[in-house]
Amino acid sequence: MSKIKPSKGAPYARIMGVGGYRPTRVVPNEVILEKIDSSDEWIRSRSGIATRHWASPEETVTAMSVEASGKALADAGIAAEQIGAVIVSTVSHFKQTPAVATEIADKVGAGKPAAFDISAGCAGFGYGLTLAKGMIVEGSAEYVLVIGVERLSDLTDLEDRATAFLFGDGAGAVVVGPSDEPHIGPTVWGSEGDKSETIKQTVPWNDFYVGDVSKLPLNEAGEVKFPAITQEGQAVFRWAVFEMAKVAQQALDAAGIAPADLDVFIPHQANMRIIDSMVKTLKLPEHVTVARDVETTGNTSAASIPLAMERLLATGQAKSGDTALVIGFGAGLVYAATVVTLP
């Protein structure tokens, strides 16, 4: 017989508040076209993207996260000192250690919470939300701050016609807390590592550091390029369109929600064609509000879902208490989907 006292947390968890931060610089497609042979029409038809935000040197991963977190805390009505854990999902914090979550927690004024980073690409927000829910129900934290943040402009090859127009910068944050009713459904998540080469960093950091030119990509001037994110566009598109709609449906089924019961659909903001295809495959009714933040924000990876959620609520396209399906998918390949009640 175990001598360990059982843990006791809240019966359920919910998102209590959301906040976002977009860098001040807005970058139109015309800027992207300075380095690639393409057109504004081609970029829009291919991705739906018209503009994106790029961070200044002062708009660091930490600075953007602190801004978004402050807004989420205010929205939730929770003091920073009440936060028991800080989870940050990012692939663009360039220090291997310490975790940027510890610095963010300190600057937010959260005291001494558990703090750690996760790397789950564009599914990172869903992974963080699931971990936060588990902490609250298990009892190791009463309130958890979940942040998705990226400076993907640092990892963009502006000479790569397939990806130069895709990526943007920003941070989104939510406060997750206790609830007497279920407001975060079961998570359907997973990975397909056999497809890991379809979205990846061009070269690992150690190859870049050693500087073996034979292993490194060069620009037109013969200079070594900084590591960047690259992808096999068609393979990723097919996977996202055909496989992620199935995952989204599984998340609806797990939550006991029919498409007609949804108010909002917030998919990862990767590509407008992917979003529209998922809406069609899922047969979502016309009354369901669909997040299309990608048009003006681009693909911000882990930040895209909370940023899109924040904008829908701020503009009145969605309202507190709405039932929303959220799904993230990307490098790994990894994915995570769940149904939530909007804060």
Side-chain angles (χ1 to χ4, degrees), residues 185-188 246-257 325-326 337-339:
T187 299
V188 177
K246 297 176 185 177
V247 172
Q249 184 61 58
Q250 290 170 13
L252 288 172
D253 294 342
I257 298 292
L325 168 64
V326 299
T338 189
V339 177

Side-chain angles (χ1 to χ4, degrees), residues 217-242:
L218 306 178
N219 62 20
E220 293 179 356
E223 301 166 330
V224 172
K225 290 184 179 182
F226 192 75
I229 297 172
T230 184
Q231 69 175 30
E232 298 175 15
Q234 286 302 313
V236 173
F237 181 85
R238 288 193 298 270
W239 175 77
V241 168
F242 296 110

Side-chain angles (χ1 to χ4, degrees), residues 280-312:
K280 183 177 180 180
T281 302
L282 289 167
K283 298 179 181 178
L284 296 183
E286 288 188 5
H287 76 263
V288 176
T289 297
V290 180
R292 291 188 170 89
D293 193 43
V294 67
E295 180 179 6
T296 56
T297 306
N299 179 344
T300 55
S301 189
S304 80
I305 290 175
L307 278 174
M309 182 184 296
E310 184 267 347
R311 176 161 280 174
L312 288 175

Side-chain angles (χ1 to χ4, degrees), residues 34-290:
E34 293 173 5
K35 294 288 186 72
I36 60 172
D37 180 17
S38 187
S39 68
D40 177 65
E41 181 183 6
W42 185 88
I43 293 173
R44 289 174 185 258
S45 64
R46 180 99 171 170
S47 66
I49 298 172
T51 61
R52 72 286 292 146
H53 296 256
W54 283 356
S56 68
E58 293 75 28
E59 291 170 315
T60 63
V61 165
T62 298
M64 293 191 293
S65 297
V66 170
E67 289 290 331
S69 298
K71 294 176 183 178
L73 287 164
D75 190 43
I78 298 298
E81 295 83 359
Q82 294 176 268
I83 296 297
V86 177
I87 304 170
V88 177
S89 179
T90 185
V91 299
S92 47
H93 172 59
F94 292 152
K95 286 184 180 178
Q96 189 70 36
T97 192
V100 72
T102 58
E103 181 181 357
I104 294 167
D106 177 63
K107 291 187 180 298
V108 166
K112 299 180 180 180
F116 58 94
D117 299 349
I118 60 174
S119 177
C122 305
F125 176 74
Y127 275 50
L129 185 64
T130 302
L131 292 172
K133 173 186 173 183
M135 291 177 180
I136 291 162
V137 173
E138 187 270 341
S140 59
E142 186 175 10
Y143 301 100
V144 180
L145 184 61
V146 179
I147 302 164
V149 57
E150 301 292 2
R151 274 181 55 118
L152 294 182
S153 59
D154 292 336
L155 288 167
T156 299
D157 180 355
L158 294 177
E159 296 178 348
D160 181 359
R161 189 172 184 269
T163 61
F165 57 89
L166 286 176
F167 302 121
D169 303 336
V174 297
V175 174
V176 184
S179 173
D180 292 329
E181 297 179 331
H183 288 291
I184 301 176
T187 299
V188 177
W189 57 353
S191 65
E192 297 184 32
D194 60 316
K195 301 179 181 65
S196 62
E197 292 295 302
T198 56
I199 306 175
K200 63 179 182 179
Q201 185 171 306
T202 49
V203 291
W205 294 116
N206 58 323
D207 282 353
F208 180 76
Y209 174 75
V210 171
D212 182 350
V213 177
S214 66
K215 295 182 178 181
L216 302 176
L218 306 178
N219 62 20
E220 293 179 356
E223 301 166 330
V224 172
K225 290 184 179 182
F226 192 75
I229 297 172
T230 184
Q231 69 175 30
E232 298 175 15
Q234 286 302 313
V236 173
F237 181 85
R238 288 193 298 270
W239 175 77
V241 168
F242 296 110
E243 298 303 322
M244 291 305 97
K246 297 176 185 177
V247 172
Q249 184 61 58
Q250 290 170 13
L252 288 172
D253 294 342
I257 298 292
D261 297 326
L262 277 180
D263 300 302
V264 184
F265 178 43
I266 311 178
H268 166 49
Q269 301 295 293
N271 180 301
M272 195 75 79
R273 291 194 300 154
I274 292 175
I275 293 170
D276 291 341
S277 294
M278 292 182 71
V279 169
K280 183 177 180 180
T281 302
L282 289 167
K283 298 179 181 178
L284 296 183
E286 288 188 5
H287 76 263
V288 176
T289 297
V290 180

